[in-house]
């Protein structure tokens, strides 16, 4: 069951078999449980991956991945499955993976929205934004409803010849439709472009695009800056109202060892970070520095730029999206969080230096021609369907064709999928190896005479991030200090010192800057280290244990036997 391939979109049953098969083959590394149920009652799988021989998952710093909250972005699930596979098969041979599973833990929800995906992969397919729950109105409103009308399993575009159309055929490639020029007045050969579908309550004249009956967007249903429908479309009736989101939020909150969070989506070939609504100076300075350093590493490994949504990925310059999972994870929990938008046909076609969202409003026609060439040469023409006639039951003779958006834009084409997702599994491991990690540097006993001993424990954070992970976590009171607790056997007694001592937060290697500077922040002293001391009365040969724990930096223990 390790011969999985990452070149296709997994239906739910196959995905379920794949992760359970991996768990059966690697029981010491991978456990799969149900985290909750979807709207239609499907299990939402949660994979926990760590080397159990070196400690339980909840005593190790964790990285959390959620995939496929959006119904058609199914490449995200393939990527999540790739990550799980990369971890369990790389253990013991890949040094980074081995280290990550020995010292840390991964939680992966490979498909948060199984219902929406089943609709997208059905025959005929139905493409939703997210949940299959009908919302906000129970009835179908009039207008064009997108669907596969000729039964070929695809939902494409209809072009309708119309003297008042806004599109015309490009002279260099008859498949390409481009906007009519602003001074191109009067009749001619023009077209109207409509989604493939039929018109509900057609009056013979008007063809509005009907609002989708299932218009929830689960990634607007999270608590951070949640807004009602009138302000944020698809947000649902209240934060975490939807079972998928409630499951996700409860899963994350119940695992306070999570230090990092990646949401897998498609598409654009970019890694996004908060905020959507605020510029970068909204961050505590330390957090912005960490985000930039982590993002730089992400780019080195994956080739994707790591950008702020506010600065580089706004759908509309005047509005910002609220209620998204990554913003909730960072802003409420103080966890470094990202949204990976896998795959970009634009990049694949060799177009560089484009703005992710703006490109769709405005770009040179050479880009379109280039994309068609890429389709012909790299995809053997599979991504773009040349226009073919169809007798539409309501509109009469139309043509159907254009980009197969679902298979070529929203998702990576099969031949390119594995190579696209693979580097991101490495990036998840690298991110995880940057998390804080508690270690005992020394645990010693000095004799004071008369059966008295002074015990000294020195602990340190050996990770890159501080134990609190972010400054935001401290601001939100989302983390507690490092604790050291002593356990004495019968016959031994504590003379001085609290049995449980709080040792504050410990800095990580991130404290080092590019160059040792003479001004503020140049030297790092020993902020990564702390000590605890006790005086005990105990007989020679007594064994004493201390437990050091931090919700994010893990739990470690040390034992000594008095001489
Ligand atoms: Zn998405």
């Amino acid at each position: 069951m390790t011969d999985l391939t990452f070149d296709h979109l997994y239906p739910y049953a196959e995905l379920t078999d794949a992760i359970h098969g991996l768990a059966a083959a690697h029981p010491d590394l991978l456990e799969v449980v149900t985290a909750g149920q979807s709207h239609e009652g499907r299990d939402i799988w949660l994979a926990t991956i760590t080397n159990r021989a070196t400690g339980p998952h909840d005593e190790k710093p964790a990285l959390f991945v959620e995939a496929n909250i959006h119904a058609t972005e199914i490449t995200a699930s393939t990527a999540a499955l790739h990550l799980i596979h990369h971890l369990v098969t790389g253990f013991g041979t890949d040094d980074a993976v081995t280290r990550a599973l020995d010292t840390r833990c991964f939680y992966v929800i490979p498909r948060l929205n199984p219902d929406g995906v089943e609709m997208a992969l059905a025959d005929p397919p139905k493409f939703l934004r997210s949940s299959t729950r009908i919302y906000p109105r129970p009835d179908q409103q009039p207008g064009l409803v997108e669907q596969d009308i000729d039964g070929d399993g695809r939902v494409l575009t209809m072009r309708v010849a119309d003297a008042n159309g806004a599109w015309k055929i490009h002279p260099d490639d008859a498949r390409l439709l481009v906007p009519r020029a602003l001074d191109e007045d009067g009749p001619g050969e023009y077209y109207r472009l409509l989604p493939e579908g039929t018109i509900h309550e057609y009056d013979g004249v008007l063809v509005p695009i009907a609002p989708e009956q299932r218009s929830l967007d689960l990634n607007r249903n999270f608590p951070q800056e949640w807004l009602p429908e009138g302000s944020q479309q698809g947000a649902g009736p209240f934060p975490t109202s939807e079972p998928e989101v409630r499951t996700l939020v409860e899963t994350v909150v119940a695992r306070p060892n999570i230090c990092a969070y990646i949401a897998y989506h498609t598409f654009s070939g970019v890694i996004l970070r908060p905020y959507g609504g605020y510029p970068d100076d909204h961050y505590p300075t330390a957090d912005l520095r960490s985000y930039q350093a982590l993002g730089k590493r992400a780019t080195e490994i994956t080739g994707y730029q790591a950008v702020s949504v506010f600065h580089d990925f706004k759908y509309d310059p005047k509005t910002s999206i609220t209620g998204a999972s990554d913003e909730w994870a960072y802003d409420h929990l103080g966890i470094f969080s990202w949204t990976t938008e896998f795959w970009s046909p634009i990049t694949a076609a060799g177009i560089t230096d484009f703005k992710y969202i703006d490109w769709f409003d405005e770009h040179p026609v050479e880009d379109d021609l280039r994309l068609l060439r890429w389709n012909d040469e790299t995809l053997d023409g599979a991504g773009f369907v040349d226009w073919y006639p169809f007798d539409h039951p309501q509109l009469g003779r139309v043509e159907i064709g254009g980009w197969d958006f679902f298979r070529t834009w929203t998702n990576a084409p099969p031949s390119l999928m594995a190579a696209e997702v693979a580097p991101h599994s490495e990036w998840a491991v690298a991110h995880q190896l940057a998390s804080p990690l508690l270690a005992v540097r020394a645990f010693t006993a000095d004799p004071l005479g008369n059966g008295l001993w002074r015990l000294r424990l020195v602990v340190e954070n050996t990770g890159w991030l501080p134990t609190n992970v972010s400054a935001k976590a401290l601001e939100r009171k989302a983390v507690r200090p490092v604790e050291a607790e002593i356990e004495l056997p019968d016959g031994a007694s504590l003379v001085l010192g609290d049995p449980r001592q709080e040792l504050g937060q410990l800095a990580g290697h991130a404290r080092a800057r590019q160059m040792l500077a003479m001004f503020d922040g140049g030297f790092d002293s020993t902020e990564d280290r702390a000590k605890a001391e006790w005086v005990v009365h105990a007989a020679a040969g007594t064994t004493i244990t201390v437990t050091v724990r931090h919700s994010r930096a893990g739990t470690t223990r040390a034992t000594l036997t008095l001489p």
Side-chain angles (χ1 to χ4, degrees):
M1 199 52 222
T2 47
D3 56 342
L4 297 177
T5 58
F6 306 98
D7 56 359
H8 65 290
L9 308 177
Y10 280 74
Y12 181 72
E14 190 190 354
L15 180 78
T16 298
D17 285 351
I19 51 170
H20 284 94
L22 283 173
H26 304 275
D28 43 343
L29 299 175
L30 170 59
E31 183 188 33
V32 177
V33 298
T34 175
Q37 271 81 37
S38 67
H39 169 65
E40 294 180 20
R42 290 187 177 86
D43 282 315
I44 297 169
W45 303 118
L46 168 67
T48 300
I49 310 114
T50 191
N51 177 14
R52 270 188 240 172
T54 56
H57 67 90
D58 55 359
E59 294 193 353
K60 294 170 176 172
L63 179 138
F64 183 88
V65 171
E66 48 126 320
N68 218 166
I69 192 171
H70 288 141
T72 59
E73 301 173 4
I74 311 172
T75 300
S77 271
T78 305
L81 192 60
H82 185 280
L83 171 60
I84 297 169
H85 182 266
H86 178 71
L87 294 172
V88 297
T89 59
F91 182 78
T93 53
D94 179 314
D95 287 347
V97 168
T98 306
R99 171 81 183 156
L101 295 190
D102 280 344
T103 59
R104 278 122 167 140
C105 158
F106 294 78
Y107 300 118
V108 180
I109 290 185
R111 180 162 295 166
L112 188 69
N113 178 17
D115 304 347
V117 175
E118 289 303 277
M119 268 200 189
L121 294 178
D123 188 13
K126 176 136 186 75
F127 299 141
L128 304 176
R129 176 61 172 164
S130 205
S131 168
T132 60
R133 184 161 88 82
I134 291 176
Y135 184 89
R137 287 177 58 138
D139 53 328
Q140 175 64 59
Q141 293 174 75
L144 193 145
V145 178
E146 202 179 71
Q147 63 191 99
D148 171 21
I149 52 169
D150 64 343
D152 68 350
R154 302 178 294 206
V155 181
L156 303 170
T157 301
M158 300 190 296
R159 72 175 189 188
V160 186
D162 186 330
N164 200 34
W167 300 85
K168 62 178 178 181
I169 289 170
H170 191 272
D172 293 351
D173 192 323
R175 295 172 295 175
L176 177 61
L177 289 141
V178 294
R180 185 172 171 163
L182 62 88
D183 53 353
E184 217 173 315
D185 197 27
E189 191 193 334
Y190 299 109
Y191 294 90
R192 196 175 290 279
L193 295 180
L194 298 168
E196 180 178 338
T198 53
I199 305 148
H200 184 65
E201 294 176 14
Y202 187 42
D203 63 4
V205 181
L206 302 179
V207 189
I209 308 298
E212 173 53 60
Q213 251 192 309
R214 299 171 175 88
S215 67
L216 279 165
D217 185 337
L218 296 175
N219 204 29
R220 308 288 180 264
N221 189 230
F222 287 83
Q224 202 262 345
E225 296 193 354
W226 178 91
L227 291 169
E229 185 73 17
S231 307
Q232 176 60 66
Q233 198 188 325
F238 56 89
T240 74
S241 61
E242 304 312 301
E244 296 84 359
V245 175
R246 177 62 68 100
T247 293
L248 177 49
V249 165
E250 286 181 346
T251 299
V252 171
V253 169
R255 287 163 182 73
N257 53 328
I258 294 170
C259 300
Y261 187 114
I262 311 179
Y264 280 7
H265 287 241
T266 70
F267 68 93
S268 281
V270 68
I271 299 175
L272 306 173
R273 62 167 166 82
Y275 285 94
Y278 306 102
D280 276 355
D281 60 13
H282 194 70
Y283 284 111
T285 303
D287 289 5
L288 180 58
R289 281 204 184 108
S290 292
Y291 252 131
Q292 286 169 334
L294 289 163
K296 187 161 166 258
R297 189 76 186 110
T299 303
E300 286 168 4
I301 295 173
T302 67
Y304 285 24
Q305 295 296 309
V307 304
S308 141
V309 172
F310 182 89
H311 292 289
D312 291 296
F313 205 83
K314 291 191 88 172
Y315 292 94
D316 177 336
K318 289 190 178 158
T319 56
S320 57
I321 285 165
T322 68
S325 68
D326 57 349
E327 303 238 331
W328 166 72
Y330 173 72
D331 195 273
H332 283 193
L333 306 179
I335 297 167
F336 286 107
S337 63
W338 308 87
T339 294
T340 300
E341 300 281 0
F342 286 97
W343 171 243
S344 166
I346 304 169
T347 307
I351 298 159
T352 53
D353 199 26
F354 62 94
K355 283 290 237 173
Y356 301 102
I357 303 270
D358 301 354
W359 186 89
F360 289 89
D361 283 331
E362 175 93 64
H363 59 256
V365 73
E366 287 71 29
D367 287 3
D368 293 306
L369 294 166
R370 201 163 175 158
L371 275 157
L372 284 171
R373 250 189 345 263
W374 166 78
N375 166 66
D376 298 340
E377 290 163 9
T378 307
L379 303 185
D380 236 356
F384 191 101
V385 179
D386 203 359
W387 304 94
Y388 58 93
F390 179 75
D391 288 317
H392 192 279
Q394 295 163 309
L395 299 172
R397 174 57 62 102
V398 302
E399 290 169 284
I400 297 177
W403 283 108
D404 186 345
F405 283 105
F406 173 65
R407 288 180 186 79
T408 312
W409 288 74
T410 309
N411 290 290
S415 60
L416 303 175
M417 198 180 291
E420 192 70 27
V421 302
H424 295 265
S425 297
E426 266 178 70
W427 155 234
V429 171
H431 201 308
Q432 182 56 312
L433 290 175
S435 60
L437 187 66
L438 281 183
V440 172
R441 190 181 176 92
F443 184 35
T444 53
D446 295 319
L448 300 175
N450 297 324
L452 292 172
W453 298 84
R454 189 185 65 173
L455 305 181
R456 172 178 278 181
L457 171 77
V458 181
V459 299
E460 57 191 4
N461 170 18
T462 64
W464 185 79
L465 286 166
T467 51
N468 47 294
V469 173
S470 70
K472 183 58 79 177
L474 294 178
E475 188 187 315
R476 296 298 193 214
K477 297 196 188 297
V479 283
R480 294 185 50 204
V482 176
E483 275 179 8
E485 187 172 11
I486 193 164
E487 290 160 50
L488 297 171
D490 287 346
S493 60
L494 190 60
V495 177
L496 209 62
D498 288 331
R500 184 190 288 186
Q501 299 186 20
E502 291 193 351
L503 305 179
Q505 304 293 346
L506 304 179
H509 306 151
R511 66 192 184 276
R513 306 270 283 281
Q514 194 68 28
M515 187 179 163
L516 190 61
M518 288 177 291
F519 46 83
D520 175 47
F523 297 95
D524 62 12
S525 68
T526 54
E527 294 163 22
D528 56 319
R529 190 184 294 168
K531 64 173 180 168
E533 290 181 332
W534 298 270
V535 175
V536 299
H537 187 271
T542 301
T543 296
I544 300 168
T545 302
V546 287
T547 302
V548 189
R549 61 173 80 85
H550 183 279
S551 58
R552 292 187 176 176
T555 299
T556 185
R557 292 172 185 85
T559 297
L560 65 74
T561 301
L562 297 174

